[in-house]
Structures are given as C-alpha cells and as structure tokens.
C-alpha cells in the first residue's frame, strides 16, 4: 500500500474517531478530505478498501448534528441565516422542473444530488460554529487544492497542453472545473500570509506555489481571470481602505511583487500562448469555441421553454438552435459554457432570479457583517470577510465560462461567508438587541 493511501486512511479514520469523541467539527474536515482527495479516482485507489467514503463522511456529519442539535441550534440557527431560504427556493424550482425537464432521467438524479448538497451545507453551518473551526475548514480547503496542484505537477500536461482527469469528486476530471475550484484558494492564502506569523507566511507561499503551478499546468483561462479579479479586489481594499494596520500598504505591494514574480516563474510559453487568446472569445478552440453564440441561443431556447429545459436540456436541444457546423463529427449537443446561462437555461427566468438573489443575499450579509466589524474595530475579521468575498468573486468569474451553477465549491464559498457572518455578526446582533431591550 502506497504512502498516500496509508495517509488518507489514517486521516479518514482518525477524523471519524476525533469527531465522535473530541470535536464534532472534525466530521466536516473528514468530508472535505474525501471531497478534495477524491479517493475513488486516485491512482492509489486500488490499494484501499472499496468503501463509500463520501457517504460515510456525510452520514457522520448528519449524525453529529443530530446528537447535538439543541446545543448547536442555539449558536447557529438556520432560520436567522437568509441565504438558506434562497437555497431552498432554488432547490424547489429544480424539484418542480422534474415534471417539465427535456431529459427527466438526467434531471431527476442531479436534482437529488443538489438536495443532498443543500443538506450537507445545513449540517456544516451548524458544526462550524467557532472562528477556530472556520479557520480549520479554510485550511482544509487550501490543503486540498494544494494536493491537487501537486497531482497536476506529478501528472504533467497531455498532448493537448492541458492537465485533465484530476480534481474533486464533482468535476469529473474536467480541467477547467478543477482550476476554477482552485483559484479562490490563492485569495484566501493572500489573507493568511498577510496576518499569519513567519511559519504561516512560509507555508502559504509553499501552498500557493503548488496551487498556482497547478492552474498554469491546467491552462484554464477562466481560472486565470478569476485569480486576477479576486486578487485585485482584495489587494485594492488592502491598499486604499481607510482601516489600515501598520505596514498594510507595504505588505500589499510586497504581495503583488511576489505574486508577479511567482507567476513569471511558473508560467511557461504554453500558458502565455493560451492566455493571449482571452480576447478572442470566438476563438474556435475545442474547449471554448464560439461561446457567445451558445449564450445567445439560450434566449431562443427560453422563447420556446420559458420555464427552462432542465438539466442537460440545453445540450439535448442545442442542434435545434445552433448552426449545423457546430455538430460536425459530434454525436451529442453543445453545452452552454457559462454558469449564468446554465442556470437560466435549466430553470428559466424565475430560477435564474433565485440564483442571483442567493448571491445578492450572500454579499449583502457580508456587507452587514463588515459594517458591524468596523463599528467594533475588529479589522482582522473585516479583512477576512473581504478575502472570503474575493474568493467567491474569483470563482464566479472563472465559472462564467463553464457550467458550475450547482458546483459544490460554489456552495462551500457561499457557506464560508454565511458561517463568518454568524460568527462575527448575527450572534452579537442578537445579544446587542437583548442588551438594548434591558437598558431601554
């Protein structure tokens, strides 16, 4: 049995034991371990028992919530977190579409998977109920994509100049999907490196190197744009925010220099050649050809199917709405290649509006949390909220060019903001209101 297999099994079973007898939040870390390592798709999978690791991890989390439900509900009530009502509303729309989907045999199981994802998000929200637990989850995410970066380095590019066949459980080995999930970690690492001690700074650079190199090897233009936009967002606040720590602007400039130097070091000619095609949306390449035509065709589809066409409905109907030359030598249709248009096509205008409201609600809650933190001079947490916003923004940019409307990583990033808002704002808002009533 290889060292990776042994390490995985040790962490998996040690995490289960720790969750049962020490800290329930360890069940979340076990789930993250399985999600990012994706043991069933690993090269060492044959040397470990054929267990349903993801199912076991999810069941463990639900068990821990059930065992401590009353206690957890007092500190992390679902009802006071508005993002969940939009998640449920969106899930309801997907549920209704089971009866109207163009490909119901595909839509139905994917809707069940989406329901499972929402349940998992609810469980994690209750279990991650301290700043220490949130930091542990953020580091678990960072370490998970660092591992994927290492795998990308070990595998190397294929004949097409890409790295495919690696990644999280729900990416199916697609390089662009994997890279999109990796990109937000670099924004979170920027925050960790800035406020961490020397050991954390060194470790952040180590992890960042593998993650950045992995994105370069995958050659994902969307992920590259996501990193640029997310990093620009966070560093802009570091430099120009009125709420400055000692040496903050200098550190931001240093991070920019280190980032540019690191990019120049890991990026090769193949990477820059691909990035040069960013301005050519209609580039005719295999991975992203003529996306604008695909996006515009969504409106034509909705004229005939205003409620949407369900999951994989666009692919099934695309030959009816796109020119014939797109399907020469193909036995299947074309995907829409955009999270926004994917949501619009799958669940129509109403579902798309709910999807947008979910994101608006997330950023609104983050804004309220930041206002509270500023009022209480908690600037470290304020910038953590900005880093979490930048991470979500980076994913949304990357996902604008691939179908990720139901991606687990998207909901994890939303959940991180929801958890942070509970830790830094909602709990204190309730206690402050009680004090005001007593004093009044």
């Amino acid at each position: 049995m290889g060292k990776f297999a042994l390490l995985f099994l040790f962490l998996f079973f040690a995490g289960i034991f720790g969750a049962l007898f020490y800290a329930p939040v360890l069940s979340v870390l076990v789930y993250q371990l399985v999600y990012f390592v994706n043991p069933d798709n690993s090269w060492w999978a044959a040397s470990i028992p054929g267990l349903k690791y993801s199912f076991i991890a999810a069941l463990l989390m639900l068990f821990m919530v059930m065992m401590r439900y009353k206690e957890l509900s007092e500190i992390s009530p679902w009802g006071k977190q508005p993002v969940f009502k939009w998640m449920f509303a969106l899930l309801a729309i997907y549920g209704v579409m089971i009866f109207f989907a163009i490909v119901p045999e595909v839509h139905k199981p994917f809707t069940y998977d989406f329901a499972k994802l929402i349940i998992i998000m609810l469980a994690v929200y209750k279990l991650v109920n301290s700043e220490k637990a949130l930091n542990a989850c953020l580091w678990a995410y960072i370490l998970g994509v660092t591992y994927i970066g290492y795998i990308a380095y070990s595998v190397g590019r294929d004949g097409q100049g890409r790295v495919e066949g690696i990644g999280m459980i729900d990416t199916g080995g697609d390089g662009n999907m994997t890279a999109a999930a990796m990109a937000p970690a670099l924004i979170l690492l920027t925050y960790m490196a800035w406020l961490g001690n020397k050991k954390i700074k060194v470790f952040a650079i180590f992890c960042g190197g593998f993650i950045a190199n992995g994105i370069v090897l995958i050659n994902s233009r969307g992920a590259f744009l996501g990193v640029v936009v997310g990093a620009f967002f966070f560093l802009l606040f570091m430099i120009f925010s009125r709420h400055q720590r000692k040496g903050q602007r200098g550190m931001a400039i240093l991070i920019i220099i280190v980032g540019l130097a690191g990019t120049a070091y890991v990026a090769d000619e193949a990477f820059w050649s691909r990035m040069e095609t960013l301005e050519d949306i209609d580039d005719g390449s295999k991975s992203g050809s003529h996306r604008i035509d695909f996006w515009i065709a969504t409106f034509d589809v909705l004229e005939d199917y205003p409620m949407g066409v369900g999951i994989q409905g666009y692919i099934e109907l695309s030959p009816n709405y796109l020119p014939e030359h797109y399907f020469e030598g193909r036995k299947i249709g074309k995907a829409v290649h955009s999270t926004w248009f994917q949501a619009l096509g799958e669940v129509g205008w109403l579902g798309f509006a709910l999807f947008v409201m979910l994101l608006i609600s997330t950023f609104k809650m983050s804004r309220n949390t930041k206002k509270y933190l500023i009022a209480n001079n908690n600037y470290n947490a304020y910038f953590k909220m900005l880093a979490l916003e930048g991470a979500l923004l980076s994913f949304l940019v990357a996902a604008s060019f691939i179908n990720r409307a139901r991606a687990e990583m998207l909901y994890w990033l939303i959940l991180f903001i929801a958890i942070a808002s509970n830790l830094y704002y909602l709990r204190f808002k309730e206690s402050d209101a009680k004090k005001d009533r007593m004093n009044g």
Side-chain angles (χ1 to χ4, degrees):
M1 185 177 291
K3 57 183 180 181
F4 279 111
L6 284 172
L7 179 60
F8 169 77
L9 290 176
F10 171 77
L11 292 175
F12 182 79
F13 288 108
I16 292 175
F17 180 84
L20 292 172
F21 299 103
Y22 177 63
V25 71
L26 290 174
S27 63
V28 179
L29 303 187
V30 170
Y31 182 87
Q32 288 181 286
L33 169 69
V34 176
Y35 174 69
F36 288 107
V37 172
N38 193 2
D40 292 335
N41 194 46
S42 298
W43 56 268
W44 40 263
S47 61
I48 61 175
L51 303 176
K52 295 183 178 180
Y53 295 98
S54 183
F55 176 76
I56 294 171
L59 198 62
L60 177 65
M61 285 194 297
L62 295 176
F63 176 75
M64 299 312 304
V65 170
M66 290 174 58
M67 292 296 294
R68 303 196 179 194
Y69 182 78
K70 185 176 180 180
E71 171 192 344
L72 295 174
S73 293
E74 292 178 358
I75 55 180
S76 301
W78 290 319
K80 294 180 180 178
Q81 182 53 257
V83 299
F84 289 129
K85 69 179 181 182
W86 298 111
M87 288 187 187
F88 277 114
L90 191 57
L91 175 60
I93 290 294
Y94 274 99
V96 170
M97 282 302 300
I98 290 176
F99 303 100
F100 303 96
I102 298 299
V103 192
E105 64 271 18
V106 173
H107 183 94
K108 190 173 181 179
F110 271 97
T111 299
Y112 289 157
D113 289 342
F114 188 43
K116 294 174 188 175
L117 173 60
I118 301 303
I119 293 171
I120 288 169
M121 295 297 103
L122 292 170
V124 174
Y125 182 76
K126 283 200 179 297
L127 292 169
V128 183
N129 49 53
S130 69
E131 186 175 44
K132 185 177 180 181
L134 174 59
N135 290 337
C137 289
L138 293 177
W139 275 113
Y141 162 49
I142 291 169
L143 290 173
V145 294
T146 299
Y147 169 77
I148 294 173
Y150 168 78
I151 296 299
Y153 170 76
S154 301
V155 172
R157 290 190 178 123
D158 57 21
Q160 302 296 322
R162 309 288 302 279
V163 179
E164 301 286 354
I166 65 172
M168 304 80 177
I169 288 177
D170 64 334
T171 63
D174 182 275
N176 286 326
M177 294 182 182
T178 299
M182 297 172 70
L186 293 175
I187 287 76
L188 295 176
L189 274 173
T190 301
Y191 172 82
M192 301 293 191
W194 170 35
L195 294 180
N197 56 33
K198 290 183 179 179
K199 291 182 179 179
I200 294 296
K201 292 182 191 299
V202 172
F203 188 61
I205 293 173
F206 171 81
C207 293
F210 273 108
I211 296 169
N213 188 59
I215 293 174
V216 167
L217 290 173
I218 292 172
N219 254 349
S220 172
R221 291 167 294 185
F224 175 72
L225 276 178
V227 172
V228 171
V229 173
F232 178 79
F233 170 85
F234 181 68
L235 292 171
L236 196 67
F237 276 96
M238 277 190 68
I239 295 173
F240 296 107
S241 173
R242 291 178 299 166
H243 314 291
Q244 293 285 319
R245 293 167 52 92
K246 183 179 180 181
Q248 180 172 314
R249 286 193 177 95
M251 177 58 70
I253 294 172
L254 178 61
I255 290 172
I256 292 172
I257 293 173
V258 171
L260 291 174
T263 301
Y265 179 77
V266 300
D268 55 10
E269 184 178 349
F271 174 78
W272 290 120
S273 295
R274 184 165 173 80
M275 295 308 112
E276 287 174 359
T277 66
L278 277 168
E279 61 185 20
D280 303 322
I281 299 177
D282 193 21
D283 64 6
S285 70
K286 180 180 178 181
S287 63
S289 60
H290 310 287
R291 281 187 171 90
I292 290 182
D293 288 346
F294 302 163
W295 300 344
I296 293 176
T298 309
F299 300 114
D300 297 328
V301 172
L302 287 180
E303 286 186 8
D304 297 329
Y305 303 90
M307 290 186 60
V309 294
I311 297 169
Q312 202 171 314
Y314 182 95
I315 296 176
E316 187 74 14
L317 295 174
S318 58
N320 300 330
Y321 295 91
L322 291 170
E324 292 183 5
H325 67 267
Y326 285 123
F327 305 97
E328 294 176 359
R330 293 178 61 89
K331 294 182 179 180
I332 60 174
K334 284 280 191 177
V336 71
H337 290 294
S338 171
T339 289
W340 310 102
F341 290 95
Q342 175 197 4
L344 181 60
E346 288 182 350
V347 286
W349 291 106
L350 178 58
F352 179 75
L354 294 175
F355 180 72
V356 172
M357 286 306 302
L358 169 61
L359 296 173
I360 291 175
S361 177
T362 302
F363 282 107
K364 183 178 179 180
M365 179 55 66
S366 182
R367 183 192 65 186
N368 292 339
T369 304
K370 290 185 297 182
K371 286 182 178 179
Y372 183 86
L373 292 170
I374 290 173
N376 290 273
N377 300 317
N378 190 348
Y379 298 128
N380 285 359
Y382 167 74
F383 279 100
K384 179 184 282 187
M385 295 303 301
L386 285 171
L388 290 171
E389 286 182 347
L392 176 56
L393 185 61
S394 71
F395 184 86
L396 291 174
V397 170
S400 295
F401 308 97
I402 51 178
N403 291 2
R404 294 271 78 194
R406 290 169 280 101
E408 186 157 339
M409 198 63 240
L410 170 60
Y411 283 83
W412 272 103
L413 292 168
I414 291 173
L415 185 67
F416 287 149
I417 292 177
I419 291 170
S421 70
N422 180 50
L423 296 177
Y424 299 128
Y425 172 57
L426 292 178
R427 291 183 188 175
F428 297 101
K429 177 186 176 183
E430 183 71 17
S431 62
D432 290 348
K434 289 181 180 179
K435 290 179 182 177
D436 290 341
R437 287 194 294 270
M438 292 177 63
N439 294 331

